[in-house]
Amino acid sequence: MEPFTVHTGVVAALDRANVDTDQIIPKQFLKRIERTGFGRFLFFDWRFRPDGSPDPAFELNRPEAAGATILLARRNFGCGSSREHAPWALADYGFRAVIAPSFADIFHSNCFQNGMLPIALADADVEELFRRAAAAARDGRQLRAVIDLAAGTVTVDAPGDAPFQRSFTVDPFRRDCLLRGLDSIALSLAHGAEIDAWEQAHGIAPGAGASSP
Amino acid sequence: MPAPRTLLDKIWDDHVVCAPPGELALVYVDRHLVHEVTSPQAFEGLRLAGRRVRRPEATFATPDHNVPTTDRRLPIADLISRQQIDTLRSNCREFGIRLFDLDDADQGIVHVIGPELGITQPGMTIVCGDSHTATHGALGALAFGIGTSEVEHVLATQTLRQAKPRSLEIRVDGRLAPGVTAKDLVLYIIGRLSTEGGTGFVIEYTGSCIRSLSMEERMTVCNMSIEAGARAGMIAPDAVTFDYLRGRDFAPRDFDAAVARWERLPSDPGAVYDRSERFDAAAIVPQVTWGTNPAEVVGIDGCVPDPASFADPGQRDGAARSLAYMGLAGGTPIVGIPIDRVFIGSCTNSRIEDLREAARAVRGHRVAPSVHAMVVPGSGRVKRQAEAEGLDRVFRDAGFEWREAGCSMCLGMNPDTLAPGERCASTSNRNFEGRQGKGGRTHLVSPTMAAAAAVAGTFVDVRTWRTDA
């Protein structure tokens, strides 16, 4: 997994609440058996018109969102199905972080498995970021943010604007795994003896993949 | 004396393998259910890392999301779908996992066959790469959906990394009125909690109304916990649970000993939940969703809300967007909204009791000429049982299509989809934009409501409709 340490990038503002995983990656693209290549299907039904051309009105198709790597959205982002294709599509498109007031549980866990950082900020702070994104777009600028995972901060520092920095918290174990890009299965397999002991205590014969013979 | 514990506490405490300092707890997984859509990348990951499946005998697979519900003897026309199902087949063969394949008499929706075969049992931890795994909590298990990376983690280690969720008691007392079903109950609860009200929580449903529900009704309620944001919903096991499980294929051989263990699972008197909410069953009327998330729901005697009636600007914008997509105007009464399609099926409402309930509303009637209606049983067993009871004749004679088991139009991965603009009365669980087909308009309802709508061609109040007919 690609580590996440400090990331600087363009913020794309998607001013919608309850963005569900059916919107992030519609079901017709879940038939593929690969983990990669989902970026071109991201937000497919919103992003493209029936003739297949990009819909210029959709937030990610606007000039201010070009090359964005940080997605800004409203509450309950990623609700709905457990499909990990959602963070796969976001990551493949180029996103490294999503900022929203709240996230659905399964989507939230899935992000961490894919080097993507979900950042929950207070409603008022998200509102302020939306305001700044809209102001930047009006001026023909892009809104850029710096995310420092170790420090737990999001910083927006545009010329002529008051500096904006907010702290966020992430579960320390998930943060560690992300900072170091760790293989979570290898980490858990290191506890093989404890898993064996649990199984023995519960009358379960050691399985085919158990660590002790 | 030890502190009183909730059902969740007891299952959690029993399954923590270890909680090393600075790490999330490793939680043991008793049963892992696998389907074709969220597992190929997990098996591929195992192969690339040279890892094995730790407990193939605790892992069960079936194709359901992406299978045709038409004649199973024909090859699957969509080559990419066929490849996905073939991949599940070869992965199960390679890793020694029990597969209920397309030609197996017990194939079906993973959340229907788990309980039906007795794979799901009280006190277990159960996971599946599907958010509606919450269904299995109806039997007193801690069951929740996971992503594909976690599927791979469970296959390799039989554990998951988890923070202990908080507990939310939803207490429902009283009796549901005639014509009001478990589906109406859970839609009503979601409408009150919102789609994120349960985020971070495991719901335990308690109270006299919940206790009075059959096992299948309990599954309908727990199934949609995720629509309120809760990863899991559960109901303490009792005589209803034990009677349901006794004699099922995978039920424990020493059943009485198992019951003695399971009887210790219900929350202790005085156990404390992190949060509690109470509802009165008698206040609930049949529910219909009007928008594009399951919390956008109203009683059958109500109207589509006017977006301007929402105080919160976000909700107002959301409602306006929903109504534009749904092609509805604020103030429109729900009764009388015409529909084009009816879908009776999904892991929420495709069990035998659901089909009996729908058949009662259909018997002696014809589907309205403007409506295309289908019934998709949840499993091969449900289908055979329904046919033995003659329910298939009731549906066919009325003009419904009678299909093979699968997820079908709940998510429309297979050819069962809505055309743009079509309006559907659906017994499924999600009314998201495009969920049942791009541009399709979904209204979530109970099987009775869906069946009555098929006959009437519009939404009707089932509480009076049946007596009028």
Side-chain angles (χ1 to χ4, degrees):
Chain A
M1 191 174 73
E2 191 185 346
F4 189 113
T5 50
V6 177
H7 175 78
T8 303
V10 170
V11 179
L14 182 66
D15 195 353
R16 306 180 190 216
N18 295 311
V19 173
D20 58 74
T21 54
D22 277 82
Q23 304 317 318
I24 298 173
I25 178 90
K27 73 295 189 91
Q28 63 267 36
F29 307 114
L30 308 185
K31 298 176 184 178
R32 303 169 74 251
I33 57 171
E34 298 84 14
R35 210 181 256 263
T36 52
F38 287 98
R40 59 200 157 110
F41 310 125
L42 179 72
F43 294 120
F44 192 85
D45 290 352
W46 286 346
R47 214 168 118 204
F48 300 105
R49 294 188 285 207
D51 67 358
S53 63
D55 181 348
F58 179 58
E59 288 88 330
L60 296 193
N61 292 335
R62 291 181 195 154
E64 63 268 24
T69 56
I70 302 167
L71 185 63
L72 177 67
R74 298 287 183 180
R75 65 183 174 79
N76 202 28
F77 188 86
C79 60
S81 106
S82 65
R83 58 188 73 164
E84 197 162 316
H85 310 68
W88 292 340
L90 287 164
D92 192 56
Y93 183 89
F95 287 112
R96 293 299 320 271
V98 186
I99 301 175
S102 61
F103 295 89
D105 281 342
I106 306 177
F107 175 82
H108 190 258
S109 322
N110 285 342
C111 283
F112 287 100
Q113 310 288 341
N114 293 282
M116 176 132 54
L117 180 61
I119 299 174
L121 293 183
D123 277 301
D125 294 332
V126 170
E127 184 61 44
E128 174 62 16
L129 287 174
F130 270 109
R131 197 194 61 74
R132 289 183 184 223
R138 272 195 304 276
D139 300 348
R141 289 183 292 115
Q142 291 191 307
L143 184 73
R144 300 180 74 82
V146 182
I147 297 166
D148 185 334
L149 178 56
T153 55
V154 181
T155 310
V156 175
D157 204 355
D161 234 352
F164 173 97
Q165 184 172 78
R166 291 295 178 275
S167 298
F168 62 88
T169 53
V170 176
D171 171 80
F173 176 67
R174 301 263 192 231
R175 187 191 58 204
D176 245 37
C177 291
L178 214 47
L179 282 169
R180 294 156 63 194
L182 296 175
D183 170 0
S184 64
I185 296 179
L187 274 181
S188 297
L189 286 173
H191 295 293
E194 284 114 309
I195 303 173
D196 290 348
W198 191 96
E199 288 179 340
Q200 272 162 26
H202 289 75
I204 295 166
S211 40
S212 50
Chain B
M1 222 180 83
R5 293 187 298 163
T6 62
L7 171 61
L8 169 65
D9 292 333
K10 293 179 189 187
I11 300 178
W12 177 266
D13 292 349
D14 188 38
H15 287 83
V16 173
V17 169
C18 57
E23 297 184 26
L24 283 172
L26 265 189
V27 176
Y28 198 81
V29 172
D30 292 314
R31 293 288 179 271
H32 186 189
L33 309 174
V34 171
H35 66 85
E36 78 278 24
V37 175
T38 58
S39 68
Q41 297 87 350
F43 285 111
E44 183 62 13
L46 287 186
R47 258 191 301 273
L48 289 173
R51 290 170 177 147
R52 290 183 292 177
V53 173
R54 185 178 172 99
R55 284 194 65 207
E57 75 282 8
T59 314
F60 297 87
T62 195
D64 58 359
H65 280 61
N66 193 9
V67 302
T69 55
T70 47
D71 193 344
R72 289 276 161 82
R73 290 164 301 186
L74 301 172
I76 298 172
D78 180 341
L79 292 180
I80 309 175
S81 297
R82 197 195 300 179
Q83 183 195 25
Q84 194 169 51
I85 290 156
D86 285 343
T87 302
L88 179 67
R89 224 167 257 154
S90 60
N91 283 330
C92 287
R93 205 178 310 123
E94 178 182 346
F95 290 97
I97 291 165
R98 174 71 184 267
L99 172 70
F100 299 96
D101 206 345
L102 271 186
D103 58 0
D104 192 303
D106 292 330
Q107 179 268 344
I109 303 174
V110 66
H111 309 310
V112 174
I113 70 171
E116 181 175 83
L117 294 169
I119 293 168
T120 304
Q121 295 168 22
M124 283 183 168
T125 48
I126 301 173
V127 299
C128 173
D130 187 276
S131 60
H132 290 107
T133 309
T135 314
H136 306 264
L139 289 94
L142 174 58
F144 52 90
I146 57 177
T148 298
S149 296
E150 291 177 313
V151 168
E152 184 180 339
H153 190 282
V154 176
L155 289 171
T157 69
Q158 205 59 37
T159 65
L160 262 185
R161 294 278 184 182
Q162 287 289 299
K164 187 178 176 184
R166 289 175 290 165
S167 57
L168 166 57
E169 179 193 28
I170 297 213
R171 186 181 175 93
V172 189
D173 285 311
R175 296 174 72 99
L176 294 171
V180 180
T181 68
K183 179 63 164 290
D184 301 304
L185 168 62
V186 70
L187 283 172
Y188 178 88
I189 292 170
I190 295 161
R192 297 304 179 283
L193 284 184
S194 89
T195 52
E196 61 170 341
T199 302
F201 290 94
V202 165
I203 297 174
E204 183 183 342
Y205 300 92
T206 67
S208 61
C209 174
I210 300 297
R211 295 259 71 85
S212 73
L213 298 178
S214 72
M215 201 63 246
E216 296 191 359
E217 290 171 322
R218 295 178 185 187
M219 290 185 218
T220 298
V221 172
C222 288
N223 171 273
M224 289 191 72
S225 301
I226 184 70
E227 271 65 52
R231 211 164 172 175
M234 58 206 314
I235 293 173
D238 59 12
V240 172
T241 321
F242 309 145
D243 290 347
Y244 174 89
L245 275 174
R246 195 182 298 274
R248 302 221 173 236
D249 304 54
F250 289 86
R253 265 167 296 179
D254 190 349
F255 196 80
D256 293 334
V259 169
R261 281 199 313 279
W262 297 339
E263 281 175 334
R264 294 198 291 270
L265 285 167
S267 296
D268 299 324
V272 178
Y273 298 88
D274 294 303
R275 183 180 148 203
S276 286
E277 301 285 346
R278 300 181 77 116
F279 297 97
D280 174 14
I284 302 171
V285 302
Q287 303 284 302
V288 183
T289 62
W290 51 265
T292 56
N293 76 58
E296 293 181 332
V297 66
V298 69
I300 182 66
D301 51 359
C303 293
V304 175
D306 183 345
S309 67
F310 293 94
D312 174 66
Q315 270 192 320
R316 197 155 57 224
D317 292 353
R321 205 191 291 269
S322 288
L323 291 190
Y325 180 84
M326 293 297 287
L328 290 171
T332 308
I334 298 292
V335 168
I337 293 176
I339 53 150
D340 309 301
R341 304 284 296 266
V342 168
F343 170 63
I344 297 177
S346 87
C347 58
T348 312
N349 281 128
S350 65
R351 299 177 182 81
I352 190 67
E353 290 178 13
D354 299 314
L355 303 193
R356 286 179 191 143
E357 178 191 316
R360 266 197 300 277
V362 166
R363 204 180 299 271
H365 294 285
R366 292 280 309 165
V367 170
S370 56
V371 173
H372 175 267
M374 63 195 280
V375 181
V376 184
S379 70
R381 282 195 187 198
V382 171
K383 181 164 189 269
R384 288 194 300 282
Q385 176 70 28
E387 288 170 352
E389 296 179 18
L391 304 183
D392 62 318
R393 295 291 350 150
V394 174
F395 288 120
R396 284 180 203 269
D397 290 350
F400 278 85
E401 287 188 30
W402 178 250
R403 296 292 191 92
E404 300 290 334
C407 299
S408 180
M409 207 202 275
C410 174
L411 81 167
M413 267 192 82
N414 74 351
D416 308 341
T417 55
L418 296 180
E422 279 189 324
R423 188 178 300 287
C424 181
S426 178
T427 67
S428 56
N429 42 56
R430 289 191 176 131
N431 51 344
F432 296 153
E433 285 183 30
R435 169 82 176 179
Q436 296 192 292
K438 187 169 179 171
R441 293 160 171 167
T442 304
H443 295 271
L444 303 177
V445 290
S446 73
T448 303
M449 288 282 289
V455 171
T458 68
F459 285 116
V460 292
D461 189 338
V462 289
R463 295 172 301 173
T464 51
W465 179 80
R466 280 176 58 202
T467 52
D468 293 348

